[in-house]
Amino acid sequence: MANEQKLRIEPGAVYSRQEAAEALGISLSTLKRLIKKGHLQVSKPAGMRRVFITGESILGMLNSTTVEKGA
């Protein structure tokens, strides 16, 4: 069993979609759904495929969501 350590989310850092998914412990497709539904804010420079996600955006999403009873 490999000793995998999650990436620490730093407010001033910038993450790729893959890095953000790994840090959150979710799949890339789940991360893309969070972005598409507007839960996670990203920057995408014009003409580029690359998406940039700030640590502030990730932490903001986590702080603004609540867990329902029984979840």
Side-chain angles (χ1 to χ4, degrees), residues 5-7 16 23 26-27 29 31-32 36 38 40-43 45 54 56 59 61-63 65 67:
Q5 190 172 1
K6 284 187 183 178
L7 185 65
S16 68
I26 60 176
S27 69
S29 60
L31 183 87
K32 288 177 181 178
K36 188 174 184 177
L40 191 56
Q41 300 301 308
V42 301
S43 296
T54 64
E56 287 95 344
L59 294 171
M61 178 197 69
L62 294 174
N63 290 332
T65 55
V67 177

Side-chain angles (χ1 to χ4, degrees), residues 15-54:
Y15 301 90
S16 68
R17 286 183 288 199
Q18 187 63 45
E19 290 169 333
E22 289 173 11
L24 290 166
I26 60 176
S27 69
L28 189 55
S29 60
T30 297
L31 183 87
K32 288 177 181 178
R33 277 195 301 277
L34 288 171
I35 293 168
K36 188 174 184 177
K37 291 183 177 185
H39 296 296
L40 191 56
Q41 300 301 308
V42 301
S43 296
K44 184 177 177 186
M48 290 187 70
R49 290 183 61 197
R50 183 167 283 291
V51 170
F52 300 101
I53 305 167
T54 64

